[in-house]
Amino acid sequence: MGKAYGYIRVMPKRMDMEAQAVTLHEMGVMDRDIFIDFIDGVGNNGDACPQYERLLKKLRDKDLLYLQSLDMLGDGYAEIGRQWRRLTKEKKADVVVLDMPALDTRRGRTQFGTLVGDVVLSMLEYASDAEWAMRKEKQRAGIEKAKNRGVQ
């Protein structure tokens, strides 16, 4: 195993950064290896997370990244899925999501790679896509009903 890192995304009024840092320390992550981004709203991925980008530059094959929750990787399951693949496939790092024990790539690794984590994440992405499609269909049906009643 390589080096252990931690990543925290802090959104005002939503998260206690200190509690997350304590948890990461308990996992053996040193202060210098904890990267923290302060987010001020929704839709902050990419350049809005400079510490995450710094972390990605440091991550190497077999390093270990601890996250308190999956939403540390982005807003929405599509972005989370992209970042998950970036970490596990491109960087070949292990990822542990502390509030979702099934998402610990150290345990789910098989001859096919990070199979368990990938399957869980794919299910979450599918559920998100299905929910979006259902919402759009209901919206379309509502608009059609309103038009039939003469509403513009």
Side-chain angles (χ1 to χ4, degrees):
M1 185 174 90
K3 193 169 184 173
Y5 293 96
Y7 179 65
I8 300 171
R9 263 176 110 209
V10 180
M11 294 182 194
K13 300 178 185 171
R14 261 194 63 204
M15 295 179 191
D16 180 10
M17 180 188 71
E18 296 300 321
Q20 289 184 60
V22 166
T23 301
L24 292 173
H25 289 140
E26 289 170 357
M27 304 308 283
V29 180
M30 306 296 287
D31 277 332
R32 70 177 179 270
D33 298 322
I34 297 174
F35 294 80
I36 304 170
D37 278 314
F38 295 91
I39 306 301
D40 58 5
V42 195
N44 286 300
N45 293 307
D47 352 321
C49 300
Q51 293 302 309
Y52 180 70
E53 293 302 323
R54 272 188 62 222
L55 168 65
L56 287 175
K57 288 178 182 170
K58 287 185 173 270
L59 268 179
R60 302 286 180 253
D61 189 7
K62 305 241 189 316
D63 282 348
L64 175 60
L65 175 61
Y66 287 102
L67 304 167
Q68 180 63 40
S69 62
L70 201 52
D71 66 354
M72 298 286 149
L73 294 179
D75 299 323
Y77 287 113
E79 178 62 20
I80 289 169
R82 277 191 291 279
Q83 295 306 320
W84 182 267
R85 283 184 286 284
R86 194 172 177 192
L87 293 165
T88 61
K89 303 290 187 225
E90 293 173 26
K91 293 293 183 176
K92 294 183 172 53
D94 276 318
V95 180
V96 174
V97 180
L98 297 169
D99 69 356
M100 289 184 82
L103 292 177
D104 180 342
T105 61
R106 298 171 303 172
R107 280 191 232 145
R109 200 172 287 284
T110 67
Q111 66 185 21
F112 303 108
T114 56
L115 183 63
V116 173
D118 291 348
V119 167
V120 170
L121 205 57
S122 292
M123 288 171 48
L124 292 172
E125 285 177 317
Y126 170 77
S128 174
D129 290 346
E131 181 183 353
W132 181 84
M134 184 173 46
R135 207 174 24 230
K136 289 306 248 181
E137 178 57 30
K138 285 181 179 180
Q139 182 182 34
R140 187 201 58 72
I143 291 170
E144 188 65 32
K145 273 182 158 177
K147 282 182 179 177
N148 289 342
R149 288 192 321 259
V151 177
Q152 293 196 25

